[in-house]
Structure formats: structure tokens, C-alpha cells
Amino acid sequence: MASTQDAWYISLLGLAEHFRTSNPPDIKSCIQCLQAVFNFKPPQRVEARTHLQLGNILLTHTKNIDLARTHLEQSWCLSQTINGFDDVKFEAASVLAELFEQQGQPTHSKPILRKAIELSQHSVYWHCRLIFQLAQIHATEREYEVASSLLGVGVDYAQISNAAYTRVLFLLSRVMLLLIDKKIQEVLPLLNQAMHLVDTWAGSPHQKEYLKVFFLVLQVCHYLMAGQVKSVKPCLKQLQQSIQTIMAPTWPDDDAVCGTASGESFVWLSRQQLYVLVYLVTVMHSAQAGYMDKAHKYTEKALAQIDKLTSSACAEGGGRAAAEGARALRGGAALAWRLRMALVEHAALCRLVAGGKAHALHEIARAAHLLTVAPSQCVAAAHTPQLHCLLGLYAMSMNCMEAAEAQFHTAINMSQERDLWMFAKLNLAIVYLRGRRDNELTQIMEQVRPEALPTYAHGLRAASYYVLGLQAFFQARYNEAKRYLRETLKMANAEDLNRLTSCSLVLLGHIFLSINNSRESMNMVTPAMQLASKIPDVHVQLWASAILKDLYRLAGDTERENEAYQMHCNFSQALLKDHFQATQLPQHALVNWTSGAPPVLPAPAATPALQPAPAAPGAPPANT
């Protein structure tokens, strides 16, 4: 009788798999076959596995999330008491925890994963995988200390289990969290430890190169967070060389990189995802260094690569096991969204500096549209303050000062990122400066003076000195202004912050002109114009051409005065034309959006080619 019963449910399982893999799949019949298994009162193992299969299929192919969760809960409950049933037991825990997290209930996910971690200490693969998953949930909840502590446990466990590759993955993941949490003093010793482990790696050369790319990405981000654009160049070059090695046709797939050891079946990102990430950090570097054309070029390449990545992921998903394929697709889609959003944000910043305001507005509208299709509300909420900050910069460039103030206040109130908060406040200070609102300016400058900023934030501190110099200039305290601006120049030149350098030089030129020192003014304005042309930054060029016109007039050089005057007129006309174009766009209404979901706008079109136009007058360069 038992063998007949076995034949029944084995036949039903086989039939269910046939329906699932048919072309097109017959999911309804597949589910009916799996549900029929329970009519035969199968053994506990079969019952638990069938509940897991049903849960995965319902999640992957239907919208019946509640029923999927019920089956997963039953699978997890049944399998906990079964010895040697790791794949079903821990997969059920993992998928169930992921489902709760997607539903915005991470407090339900955590106890499930903690229990699974407790039960899985004998299984290196599952123990490590579950630690990674729980740490990710805590990190998403901004519980960075708990997440970091978990990853530290993973480092020790992997070392005891002789999983050397996974040990370095845990270590680098911990470095990444500390960077996010701005625990810079704790980052350096761990980075050095990771560098030693990678340099002395005696295992698979493919694993070594993969770990090297992970390490270099973190090292580059560490420098870029601090605004150390010059210092980052050697490791950025190394990173670009390493990614070329990984992207070579002879490089094995990700499974081969992991190797055959059960505790080392992990990759941080696929090589295609790493490729896009390297493009992104290159864009970040170019934007901070003031090479806007280069940043734009790399942004377009990276966005094209993301399109290719998402289309190929969808094609590959159908060939994998249903549950793994669906999870990989969900995770890949979420990562692609984050990468795309970061690139569009940088594209908007670059447009504000070197492109037209109308072009920048198109990019901002693309970012607003992305918010409406974010993988979760939590992810959308994390990026919304950055979009308000971009809108504040755009509004400044359009002389919409009330809107700019409202946008910066919104970004400050919504943001939990200290650096973004400081950046918004520095720009808000410029709004107050231009409005001659001395009381508000005094209050906000106390919060963003260089000594009030983190020691690691080199770029923000340099920008703070610039804003202090601008304030002193507006108040005709010229000697004090020169002192602040020379400090800015020293810091900006040390790290190739070219836009901040050009802004400081032209302001110094304006100061020397105001005190009738034409020679020193020319010495400042000439390199400012050259650097602004290289960036290109049309607004600094407009400012510099106005000063040059006055200098040549004072020198009696009529020919050059006329040349400078004509140059100034050309820039002014381009600005006015671009300003008018931006005001006519329906997306301009975004400047009035300060709460709730973004307003409904026309579908974002492809952004036109880069055209020269200005950014906000006197605004410090973007360091986010």
C-alpha cells in the first residue's frame, strides 16, 4: 500500500513539474497537482517540500501572496523538526523572511532568520547565506551596528570553517556597511586587513581577481566620499583594469568563480553588475573632478549596459529553478533600479553644471518617474531627499529662490544622510546670501562652518570655506573673503576639485577688481576662464567674461574689451534661451513638489545631446 501511495505522489510531483516547464507554462494545472499531493497524506518530508514548492510557485507566477505565505510558513514549521533536511528547511526560512521584508514587515523576518541561523551551524553554506540575509535586513533598516556585528560573526565562522573566500566576502561586506554608516576610523584597519588577505591570496586566481574588484570598489568609494578626487586616481585605474580582466571572454561564469566548496557559493555581484558599478564610480569621479562631458559619456554607456543587463536577466530567469530564478530576478531588478537612479541623479547634476537647465529638468523628471516604480517604498524614501536637493539646485539656477528654499528644507527634513544634509544646507546658505537674509544666514553658517563638518569630508569642508568667502564678499569684508577663498583653493587644488577651483578663482578676481587691483584680478580670472571652459561651466564663464570686459576697459584695450563683451553677450543669450525653454516644460512644475508622491508628468523621453548652459551662480560643486 505504501509503495502505491509513493507512486501516486511521485507521479503528481512529476506531472506538476511537467506543467511548470511546459511552453507556455500551465501554472494552474501545476498548482492543482501539487495541492492534490496532500490528499494522499504524504510523509512529513514530502508534505514540507510540497508546501515549499507551492509557496515558491505562487510567489513567482501569481499575485496570491497570502496563500504563498501560508504554504511557506507550513513548510518552515514542519521541516524544523526533521533532521538532515537542510535544503527545504532553510530555503523555506529564507524565502519566508524575504517575503515578510518585501511586505514591509522586517520584524517578522528577523526571528525566523535568527532561528534558522541557530539551527544551521552544521551547514556552512546555509549558515553563511542566512547571516548575509539577516545582516542585509538590518542594514536596510539602518541598524548598521547590528548588521556589522553579524558580519563580524560571519568572518569568524568562515575562518573556523576554512571558507577563506567567504571570510573575505564577509570582511568586505562589513567595510561596506561601515562606509555607509560613515564610521571612517573603523574602516581603515579592516580595509588594510582585506587588502593583505587579497594580496596574499593563494587560492583560485579567479576568486582573487573577483575579491580584488570588490576591495577596489570600496577603496574608491572611500576616497570619493571624502572628496579626495586626486588621491583616488591610482586605485580607480586599478579597478578599471581589473574589471576589464573580469569582463574578458575567457573569464568563467560566476558559478565557476565560487568554486565547488559548499561554503563558498557566494558572489557579491555578478560580473555584469560589477561592470555597471565601475561605470558608476567612474561617473562619480568625473563629476567631482569637474569633467562633465566625460561623466555624461560614461553615464550613457552605463545606462545602456543596465538595459542590456535587465533584458538578459529576464531571458536567463526562465532557465533557472523557479525559486532561485525568481529571487535572482527580483534582486537583480532592485539593484538595476538603484544603479539607474544613481546614474540619473549624477546626470542631472552634470547637466546643471555643464548642460542646459532644460536638459537637467529632463533628467530630474526621469528620476521622479523612477521613484514611482521603485522596488519598495523604503528604497524610494531613501532617494527622495536627493531628488529634492536636485530640484533645489535647479530652482536656484532658474532664480526661483522661494522654490529652492522649500526644496532644500524638504531635503534636510527628510534626509538621514549627514553629507546630503550638509550639502543642502550649504546651498541654502547661498539662497539666504542672495536674498540678503542675514539672520537666517548667520544661523545656518554656524552649522556648516568647516570645523563643524566631519574631518573626512574634504570636499564639503572646501565648499564651506567657499561659502564663507562668498558671504564675506557680499558684506565687503574683502581681506576675510580672500583668506577663506585661499583656503578653498588650497584644499581644491590638493584634490583636483576643478569646479570649486574655478568658482574660487573667479570670485577672487571679482574681489581684486573691487579693490582696484587689476593685475591680481587678471591673474585670477584668466585661469578661472580656462578651467571653466574645460569643465565646461558656462555660468563661471559668464561671470569671468564680465570681469574681463571691465579689466580690458580699465586697461584701455578696446579690442579685447569688445571680444569679452561679445563673449559675455553670447553666454547671456544662451542662458536666456535655455531659461525660457525650461519654463515652458511641464516638468518645471516639479519645483513646487515638496510632499507626497511626485506629480504625474508626461512619460520621460530620451534626453537630447549635451548643450552648454549654467548651473546655480556661485554654488559649490556637488559632492554627493
Side-chain angles (χ1 to χ4, degrees):
M1 185 68 185
S3 59
T4 305
Q5 186 186 52
D6 290 348
W8 271 107
Y9 67 70
I10 289 170
S11 299
L12 284 168
L13 291 174
L15 195 56
E17 182 64 9
H18 165 75
F19 287 128
R20 189 187 71 82
T21 56
S22 298
N23 192 10
D26 185 351
I27 299 303
K28 183 178 179 180
S29 297
C30 172
I31 291 170
Q32 288 173 338
C33 288
L34 289 173
Q35 287 174 329
V37 170
F38 301 126
N39 295 330
F40 293 90
K41 295 184 173 51
Q44 192 174 352
R45 285 173 173 263
V46 174
E47 187 179 354
R49 187 184 297 277
T50 306
H51 278 302
L52 176 60
Q53 288 173 305
L54 273 166
N56 279 326
I57 287 169
L58 287 164
L59 273 182
T60 307
H61 298 285
T62 77
K63 295 181 180 179
N64 199 338
I65 304 300
D66 290 341
L67 184 58
R69 185 180 65 207
T70 299
H71 282 293
L72 291 170
E73 287 173 335
Q74 288 179 298
S75 179
W76 167 233
C77 183
L78 287 167
S79 59
Q80 285 181 57
T81 58
I82 303 174
N83 293 325
F85 204 46
D86 290 357
D87 284 351
V88 170
K89 183 187 307 180
F90 299 126
E91 185 182 338
S94 177
V95 178
L96 184 58
E98 183 186 9
L99 176 56
F100 278 126
E101 186 189 9
Q102 288 171 355
Q103 291 184 309
Q105 298 175 298
T107 51
H108 290 11
S109 302
K110 293 170 188 174
I112 294 169
L113 289 172
R114 288 194 194 101
K115 179 66 174 177
I117 288 168
E118 180 188 329
L119 295 173
S120 64
Q121 294 188 39
H122 64 281
S123 170
V124 180
Y125 167 73
W126 277 111
H127 196 65
C128 291
R129 174 170 163 173
L130 294 164
I131 289 174
F132 275 127
Q133 187 174 353
L134 182 57
Q136 175 66 54
I137 290 173
H138 281 292
T140 303
E141 293 286 290
R142 303 181 66 85
E143 297 166 348
Y144 297 125
E145 288 191 14
V146 179
S148 179
S149 176
L150 273 166
L151 293 171
V153 170
V155 171
D156 295 339
Y157 176 82
Q159 185 174 6
I160 292 169
S161 304
N162 295 318
Y165 166 75
T166 303
R167 177 194 175 196
V168 183
L169 284 183
F170 272 120
L171 183 61
L172 291 172
S173 299
R174 195 175 183 201
V175 170
M176 181 169 56
L177 273 189
L178 291 169
L179 281 174
I180 294 169
D181 200 21
K182 307 295 191 295
K183 298 285 182 65
I184 304 302
Q185 296 303 316
E186 296 177 41
V187 164
L188 289 173
L190 291 181
L191 260 182
N192 290 334
Q193 182 186 355
M195 181 171 65
H196 173 73
L197 290 172
V198 173
D199 287 345
T200 58
W201 185 261
S204 157
H206 297 116
Q207 287 183 336
K208 179 174 183 174
E209 199 66 36
Y210 179 85
L211 293 172
K212 183 179 174 184
V213 168
F214 192 175
F215 166 78
L216 287 170
V217 165
L218 297 178
Q219 193 175 38
V220 167
C221 289
H222 177 238
Y223 281 119
L224 290 179
M225 279 172 55
Q228 294 177 306
V229 174
K230 187 175 183 179
S231 302
V232 79
K233 285 182 179 178
C235 51
L236 180 59
K237 188 175 181 180
Q238 268 189 289
L239 175 60
Q240 290 164 340
Q241 291 169 344
S242 283
I243 199 66
Q244 291 302 323
T245 300
I246 283 181
M247 293 307 295
T250 54
W251 187 264
D253 61 21
D254 294 331
D255 290 340
V257 170
C258 291
T260 55
S262 63
E264 304 203 331
S265 304
F266 306 101
V267 291
W268 175 45
L269 299 174
S270 71
R271 63 177 186 157
Q272 288 82 8
Q273 291 167 336
L274 283 172
Y275 191 44
V276 177
L277 185 59
V278 174
Y279 266 126
L280 174 58
V281 296
T282 304
V283 167
M284 292 165 63
H285 175 262
S286 299
Q288 285 197 33
Y291 301 128
M292 301 305 160
D293 286 345
K294 185 183 290 187
H296 176 71
K297 179 181 74 174
Y298 286 128
T299 296
E300 293 305 311
K301 287 187 175 181
L303 289 171
Q305 193 65 31
I306 290 174
D307 290 337
K308 188 188 300 183
L309 184 65
T310 50
S311 60
S312 64
C314 289
E316 291 171 10
R320 299 173 179 167
E324 286 297 326
R327 276 200 295 278
L329 283 175
R330 285 196 297 272
L335 177 64
W337 185 94
R338 289 174 184 271
L339 291 169
R340 191 185 299 276
M341 178 61 97
L343 286 162
V344 171
E345 288 167 351
H346 277 83
L349 283 169
C350 292
R351 297 286 192 178
L352 283 170
V353 175
K357 293 183 282 286
H359 295 85
L361 192 54
H362 277 292
E363 299 291 3
I364 293 171
R366 286 172 74 183
H369 174 70
L370 281 172
L371 280 184
T372 65
V373 293
S376 71
Q377 289 185 343
C378 179
V379 171
H383 282 266
T384 303
Q386 295 169 19
L387 186 53
H388 285 295
C389 205
L390 284 171
L391 283 166
L393 294 173
Y394 166 75
M396 280 177 75
S397 74
M398 296 291 288
N399 291 317
C400 302
M401 291 302 158
E402 287 186 12
E405 181 181 0
Q407 291 296 338
F408 288 132
H409 274 302
T410 302
I412 291 163
N413 293 333
M414 293 179 68
S415 179
Q416 294 178 305
E417 294 292 336
R418 182 183 173 92
D419 289 358
L420 183 68
W421 187 73
M422 290 295 186
F423 179 74
K425 289 214 166 190
L426 282 168
N427 282 282
L428 188 56
I430 294 173
V431 172
Y432 291 152
L433 259 176
R434 291 171 62 179
R436 305 289 183 173
R437 295 163 61 181
D438 293 339
N439 290 336
E440 291 103 319
L441 178 61
T442 300
Q443 290 177 2
I444 204 167
M445 286 310 298
E446 285 302 313
Q447 300 169 34
V448 291
R449 294 182 71 86
E451 56 270 22
L453 298 177
T455 54
Y456 70 81
H458 182 92
L460 282 173
R461 287 163 69 89
S464 178
Y465 278 116
Y466 174 79
V467 176
L468 285 171
L470 195 63
Q471 180 187 17
F473 167 72
F474 269 67
Q475 296 171 350
R477 294 180 283 114
Y478 296 130
N479 287 333
E480 193 176 340
K482 285 188 286 183
R483 188 170 70 250
Y484 285 131
L485 291 170
R486 282 173 178 145
E487 192 64 33
T488 303
L489 279 176
K490 183 172 73 175
M491 295 183 74
N493 286 333
E495 289 296 344
D496 289 349
L497 300 173
N498 289 326
R499 187 170 183 241
L500 198 47
T501 298
S502 67
C503 288
S504 301
L505 285 171
V506 76
L507 182 51
L508 277 168
H510 202 146
I511 290 169
F512 283 118
L513 178 62
S514 300
I515 60 176
N516 299 315
N517 189 337
S518 299
R519 182 177 177 183
E520 280 300 312
S521 181
M522 185 68 78
N523 288 340
M524 297 293 116
V525 176
T526 303
M529 177 63 92
Q530 292 169 346
L531 194 52
S533 302
K534 184 180 177 183
I535 289 174
D537 185 331
V538 177
H539 212 105
V540 172
Q541 290 175 286
L542 177 76
W543 191 358
S545 63
I547 297 172
L548 284 171
K549 175 173 62 68
D550 290 344
L551 288 171
Y552 289 132
R553 178 177 51 78
L554 290 170
D557 190 336
T558 307
E559 184 179 350
R560 288 188 175 181
E561 180 189 354
N562 289 334
E563 287 177 3
Y565 173 74
Q566 189 58 52
M567 189 188 307
H568 186 76
C569 288
N570 291 340
F571 289 135
S572 295
Q573 288 167 7
L575 293 173
L576 288 169
K577 180 181 177 183
D578 180 62
H579 187 284
F580 178 76
Q581 287 176 343
T583 59
Q584 301 307 299
L585 293 170
Q587 291 87 347
H588 182 71
L590 281 168
V591 296
N592 299 315
W593 164 59
T594 54
S595 63
V600 178
L601 298 166
T607 311
L610 192 65
Q611 299 292 333
N623 287 295
T624 55

